[in-house]
């Protein structure tokens, strides 16, 4: 089943985000390599495609996991949590219509 992972950043976390980004992307790449990743990306604070000093307000990941418990377990191990980027992470089932 698909699950939506919505993570909210702490204020002014761009430096921590950039430092932890390689490890964060490596985990996403593992999901992608197993054809389990639907979409992943950050939410820029400003209306811009390019990163800027304003940073990000959070991230969205939609991926396939065997259960809600496993999706939560995976999300809890995100390098952005250890780096202090995220202050809140919500995981819930997602039903793709289109």
């Amino acid at each position: 089943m698909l699950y939506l992972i919505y993570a909210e950043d702490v204020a002014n976390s761009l430096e921590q985000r950039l430092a932890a980004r390689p490890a964060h992307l490596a985990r996403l790449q593992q999901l992608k390599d197993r054809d389990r990743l639907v979409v992943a990306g950050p939410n820029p604070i400003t209306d811009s495609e390019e990163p800027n000093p304003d940073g990000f307000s959070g991230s969205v990941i939609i991926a396939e996991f065997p259960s809600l418990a496993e999706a939560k377990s995976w999300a809890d191990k995100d390098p952005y949590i250890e780096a202090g980027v995220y202050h809140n992470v919500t995981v819930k089932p997602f039903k793709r219509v289109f």
Side-chain angles (χ1 to χ4, degrees):
M1 179 163 190
L2 294 178
Y3 294 90
L4 169 87
I5 301 168
Y6 177 66
E8 298 171 86
D9 286 19
V10 299
N12 303 310
S13 61
L14 183 58
E15 187 175 317
Q16 297 99 301
R17 181 182 265 273
L18 293 175
R21 188 170 190 259
H24 172 78
L25 293 179
R27 292 181 82 234
L28 290 171
Q29 185 65 51
Q30 290 174 351
L31 288 177
K32 183 179 177 194
D33 290 347
R34 295 181 182 116
D35 292 323
R36 292 175 45 199
L37 183 64
V38 175
V39 67
N43 303 110
I45 289 176
T46 57
D47 191 11
S48 173
E49 288 283 327
E50 297 302 317
N52 62 56
D54 291 334
F56 301 93
S57 63
S59 298
V60 172
I61 298 166
I62 299 176
E64 183 180 338
F65 292 93
S67 68
L68 179 58
E70 290 186 52
K72 286 181 177 181
S73 176
W74 186 90
D76 287 344
K77 295 177 183 116
D78 194 298
Y80 283 169
I81 293 174
E82 184 177 323
V85 175
Y86 294 155
H87 76 87
N88 186 47
V89 178
T90 302
V91 181
K92 56 178 128 181
F94 180 82
K95 180 173 171 46
R96 183 186 347 212
V97 176
F98 292 103

